[in-house]
């Protein structure tokens, strides 16, 4: 039985000859909620993109459920950062979420009643069902994040990659998304989150990877998320690490 939902070996990435990730060996146990944390420019989003083949690595490879991504693509869902989305595109909330079903349908089939029902269920899960007919550009930042989480949910993957899902959102949206996260954990799904708020990491995640172009530490939160590891990752003293841990 496969025990790893995702792993990488010797993964290195550079942008214009500037190293961003160096020899990253990354492991995500099945059924875990893994938070990836580190300072700005540490390569957190780049790691996620490299694992998913959205950025070409210089060296190394990634595997999912002990298979290449191409063989298990439908088992893997991805929610990008909101800044990568064209919010002026004229489409409704329901249409955006229904787009999440396209991968399973293939090129020749159009979404039908089943797909629209799945989309509505995902909107209910994220507290956005009342906004189904709203234009996506009319939503607040937190509402948009919830819609894009719903689009990922409708795919019903076994492994979720969420890139900064809580960045810049309101308290109501954050609570709604946390409830979804807890539901996924209870269902035995695996979740990988690029996260920036150290103060909430323990509440959201049971595993953590501390990253600063290389992996400083990775494992269960209770054993790995130490003041010493935080200090090394953020290149600060342990006293400063304590401030980051509680005030970020």
């Amino acid at each position: 039985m496969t025990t790893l939902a995702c792993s990488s070996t010797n993964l290195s990435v550079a942008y214009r000859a500037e190293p961003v990730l160096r020899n990253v060996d990354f492991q995500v146990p099945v059924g875990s909620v893994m938070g990836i944390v580190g300072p700005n420019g540490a390569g957190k989003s780049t790691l996620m993109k490299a694992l998913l083949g959205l950025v070409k690595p210089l060296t190394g490879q990634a595997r999912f459920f002990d298979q290449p991504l191409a063989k298990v693509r439908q088992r893997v869902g991805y929610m990008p950062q909101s800044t990568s989305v064209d919010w002026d595109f004229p489409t409704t909330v329901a249409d955006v979420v229904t787009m999440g079903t396209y991968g399973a349908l293939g090129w020749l089939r159009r979404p039908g009643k089943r797909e629209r029902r799945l989309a509505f269920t995902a909107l209910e899960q994220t507290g956005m069902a009342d906004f189904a007919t709203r234009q996506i550009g009319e939503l607040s930042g937190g509402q948009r994040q919830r819609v894009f989480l719903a689009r990922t949910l409708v795919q019903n993957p076994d492994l979720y990659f969420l890139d900064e899902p809580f960045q810049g959102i309101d308290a109501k949206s954050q609570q709604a998304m946390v409830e979804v996260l807890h539901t996924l954990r209870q269902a035995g799904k695996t979740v990988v989150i690029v996260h920036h708020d150290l103060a909430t990491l323990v509440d959201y995640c049971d595993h953590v990877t501390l990253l600063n172009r290389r992996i400083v530490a990775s494992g269960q939160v209770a054993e790995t998320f130490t003041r010493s590891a935080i200090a090394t990752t953020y290149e600060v003293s342990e006293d400063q690490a304590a401030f980051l841990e509680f005030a970020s």
Side-chain angles (χ1 to χ4, degrees), residues 170-189:
D170 57 276
K172 182 178 180 180
S173 292
Q174 182 159 324
Q175 182 58 39
M177 293 175 71
V178 169
E179 289 175 4
V180 171
L181 193 67
H182 290 164
T183 300
L184 293 174
R185 175 188 283 168
Q186 291 165 6
K189 302 289 188 176

Side-chain angles (χ1 to χ4, degrees), residues 47-159:
L47 172 58
M48 188 170 282
K49 291 176 182 178
L51 292 168
L52 295 170
L54 302 174
V55 171
K56 187 175 181 180
L58 291 174
T59 63
Q61 62 177 354
R63 293 180 71 82
F64 302 82
F65 304 104
D66 203 29
Q67 299 284 335
L69 179 60
K71 291 193 174 183
V72 292
R73 191 174 297 276
Q74 290 191 9
R75 297 182 67 186
V76 180
Y78 172 53
M79 176 181 162
Q81 286 189 24
S82 60
T83 54
S84 67
V85 177
D86 180 7
W87 297 111
D88 294 325
F89 189 76
T91 188
T92 67
V93 165
D95 287 341
V96 168
V97 179
T98 304
M99 289 176 190
T101 67
Y102 288 4
L105 285 173
W107 289 103
L108 300 179
R109 291 181 56 199
R110 295 177 63 84
K113 290 182 179 180
R114 177 181 179 275
E115 287 71 36
R116 287 192 290 272
R117 185 171 63 251
L118 290 172
F120 188 78
T121 299
L123 285 169
E124 286 185 319
Q125 286 179 270
T126 57
M128 290 299 294
D130 290 342
F131 295 81
T133 59
R134 190 80 61 90
Q135 290 287 314
I136 191 72
E138 298 174 0
L139 303 182
S140 70
Q143 290 168 341
R144 291 172 179 177
Q145 286 290 76
R146 287 152 69 184
V147 170
F148 272 75
L149 177 58
R151 188 181 67 168
T152 310
L153 289 171
V154 82
Q155 301 170 41
N156 193 30
D158 296 311
L159 171 59

